[in-house]
Amino acid sequence: MSSPNFGSSHIDPCSDTAGEKDTKSSDGKKTVRELLELSDLEASRLVFGVNGRHLDLVERFFRVRAHARGNRITLVGSENAVGMAKDLLQQLYDMAKDNLSLAPADVKRAAQTLMDKRSANLKDIFDDTILVCNRGRKITPKGLAQKRYVDSMRKRDIVFSIGPAGTGKTYLAMAMAVRALKDRHVKRIILVRPAVEAGEKLGFLPGDMLEKVNPYLRPLYDALNDMMDFSQVHQLIEDGRIEVAPLAFMRGRTLNDSFVVMDEAQNTTTDQMKMFLTRLGYDSKAVVTGDITQTDLPDGCVSGLVEAYRILKDIDDIGFCHFDERDVVRHPLVQKIIRAYESYQHKPLNGGLEGERSKEENRVSRGGSGERRGYEEDAGENMVEDGGEDIGD
């Protein structure tokens, strides 16, 4: 099958844009038109989406007009926007020909990925299979930030992942751990969480020590059961090949041949974080995840995750991956909620003290100087202004 054929200013005579001439938009930018022809009809249907829904998303994201007839698409808009839309559709077409699924959420994430890094290869990102679950579902990165995170876990023995809820920090780390166990790169998985109440006192819980801390570890069990059969998870836990434990149980241990994941690391103290990191033994990996904007530590207690970033960020063999609200892969409203809270919390309060605290949290969560992520040096001028802010569901 041939690749898409682009013809600059070649308009389908049956399309709505037939006879249009190059003009200038209201902001003075030149309006261009390009024709995209897709030779594979079945793949083109996947690119268009049901009732052209994917093309609607492309129009709203890049602020272009997309007219489809048969297997041809005419793009109209500013030169930069048309170029990005064309690149997106071409890459989606190549993915569709390789039988990769294309849901509306995939199209939106692919568009955001190109906004973040104009030269991104979408297939390298979205077809990077981390784990195939028992039901045949593939776990893959959902964007550029997740891809960088996965690559960092593959290359480094200690990786920190900092960002808001819903960005896949813990889920991807656990998928990497399960894959390492299945491939026999490690002998066991250890999942750790600080047993800290989320802003409310639960009182005394019944049962022995493990039963008392089990509610705090429930999210980790849920993720495991999503990746493997319940009976398989139960057997691996019984055999000691998967251990889910509170952070306090780590003191005094040496963790060899293990893939260790610590979740909710923002709720550790500096001493606890140091204790955890120094447990790592031979042939082991450790991934530390957390959201420093949702700490449940007592007032005045510095988060061990924040301190770890300040102390360890210059060590080359330790990776730090940063996420923001644009990397959220939950309900679209979650992105807007996180953005609204960040905006509110950065306003100066109490004579400016709270505002300064929020600035420091923002600096750490975004990688040290307030930028989105350090590897976006080439996004710059290729980004369409205000694109992707209002793309619905």
Side-chain angles (χ1 to χ4, degrees):
M1 298 179 185
S2 61
S3 300
N5 177 33
F6 298 105
S8 179
S9 299
H10 178 193
I11 304 300
D12 185 345
C14 296
S15 74
D16 295 338
T17 58
E20 284 189 6
K21 297 181 179 179
D22 288 347
T23 60
K24 287 188 177 182
S25 59
S26 58
D27 59 2
K29 294 182 179 179
K30 182 181 179 181
T31 299
V32 299
R33 304 188 304 277
E34 291 205 26
L35 176 66
L36 165 61
E37 296 184 20
L38 310 176
S39 60
D40 188 322
L41 291 178
E42 185 59 33
S44 66
R45 292 190 190 100
L46 294 176
V47 173
F48 296 166
V50 178
N51 297 324
R53 187 178 182 189
H54 295 170
L55 293 183
D56 291 340
L57 292 173
V58 172
E59 285 187 321
R60 294 158 67 183
F61 206 99
F62 295 115
R63 299 190 176 187
V64 299
R65 282 177 288 161
H67 305 275
R69 184 173 294 275
N71 64 333
R72 308 170 75 187
I73 307 172
T74 301
L75 299 171
V76 182
S78 69
E79 184 175 5
N80 188 42
V82 167
M84 294 187 72
K86 179 187 71 174
D87 189 16
L88 173 65
L89 292 170
Q90 180 179 12
Q91 293 203 53
L92 291 178
Y93 174 73
D94 293 337
M95 293 166 63
K97 288 196 300 179
D98 289 338
N99 297 317
L100 296 181
S101 63
L102 292 178
D106 297 320
V107 175
K108 287 188 284 189
R109 285 191 284 263
Q112 183 63 63
T113 298
L114 287 182
M115 294 271 284
D116 292 342
K117 188 177 181 66
R118 184 66 175 81
S119 60
N121 186 316
L122 298 179
K123 190 174 185 298
D124 287 348
I125 296 172
F126 295 100
D127 196 31
D128 182 4
T129 302
I130 302 166
L131 180 70
V132 179
C133 300
N134 288 340
R135 294 181 293 276
R137 181 177 62 87
K138 293 182 179 180
I139 298 178
T140 64
K142 300 298 184 183
L144 186 60
Q146 288 195 0
K147 170 63 173 173
R148 297 283 186 172
Y149 178 36
V150 169
D151 288 343
S152 184
M153 286 189 284
R154 286 171 175 153
K155 292 187 293 186
R156 295 180 173 88
D157 288 338
I158 297 180
V159 175
F160 287 81
S161 176
I162 302 173
T167 50
K169 304 183 302 295
T170 303
Y171 194 82
L172 288 177
M174 293 182 65
M176 290 287 290
V178 172
R179 176 65 181 271
L181 183 66
K182 288 187 172 183
D183 291 346
R184 299 185 178 182
H185 294 158
V186 297
K187 294 181 179 179
R188 59 180 172 172
I189 296 172
I190 301 176
L191 307 175
V192 182
R193 235 185 183 214
V196 178
E197 296 169 344
E200 54 183 321
K201 298 297 181 182
L202 302 179
F204 292 102
L205 297 175
D208 59 23
M209 180 61 72
L210 289 177
E211 290 173 326
K212 290 178 185 294
V213 301
N214 188 65
Y216 300 103
L217 307 174
R218 189 72 258 168
L220 301 180
Y221 286 110
D222 291 342
L224 281 174
N225 291 327
D226 191 46
M227 298 174 190
M228 297 183 287
D229 288 338
F230 178 82
S231 59
Q232 186 180 12
V233 173
H234 180 74
Q235 187 60 52
L236 288 171
I237 292 176
E238 286 290 313
D239 295 342
R241 298 179 66 191
I242 293 181
E243 179 182 348
V244 184
L247 178 60
F249 285 20
M250 295 297 104
R251 189 173 296 278
R253 300 179 61 180
T254 300
L255 307 176
N256 294 318
D257 298 306
S258 303
F259 198 118
V260 192
V261 179
M262 179 163 66
D263 188 28
E264 300 290 339
Q266 75 275 6
N267 289 326
T268 62
T269 64
T270 299
D271 289 341
Q272 287 175 326
M273 178 62 75
K274 180 181 177 182
M275 179 272 292
F276 170 79
L277 293 174
T278 55
R279 300 307 94 198
L280 200 65
Y282 292 108
D283 299 318
S284 293
K285 283 181 175 288
V287 180
V288 180
T289 73
D291 175 7
I292 63 170
T293 67
Q294 295 192 33
T295 178
D296 298 310
L297 294 171
D299 290 342
C301 185
V302 178
S303 168
L305 181 58
V306 174
E307 285 285 84
Y309 175 79
R310 294 169 179 161
I311 296 169
L312 306 175
K313 60 184 176 65
D314 294 326
I315 299 179
D316 292 336
D317 293 333
I318 296 179
F320 283 90
C321 299
H322 302 272
F323 297 85
D324 64 27
E325 76 281 352
R326 287 178 286 182
D327 302 311
V328 171
V329 291
R330 291 179 180 171
H331 192 286
L333 275 176
V334 175
Q335 295 183 357
K336 297 181 180 180
I337 291 170
I338 292 171
R339 190 180 298 119
Y341 268 93
E342 284 188 347
S343 177
Y344 176 79
Q345 290 172 345
H346 294 163
K347 295 178 181 179
L349 300 173
N350 299 332
L353 295 178
E354 290 296 323
E356 289 303 314
R357 178 185 176 186
S358 296
K359 288 178 183 178
E360 172 66 9
E361 289 178 344
N362 183 59
R363 185 184 69 82
V364 175
S365 66
R366 292 177 182 264
S369 58
E371 75 275 17
R372 171 167 158 76
R373 284 181 294 271
Y375 52 81
E376 288 183 354
E377 67 280 354
D378 61 342
E381 60 182 354
N382 292 317
M383 187 170 291
V384 180
E385 294 181 358
D386 299 326
E389 291 300 319
D390 183 23
I391 56 178
D393 58 355

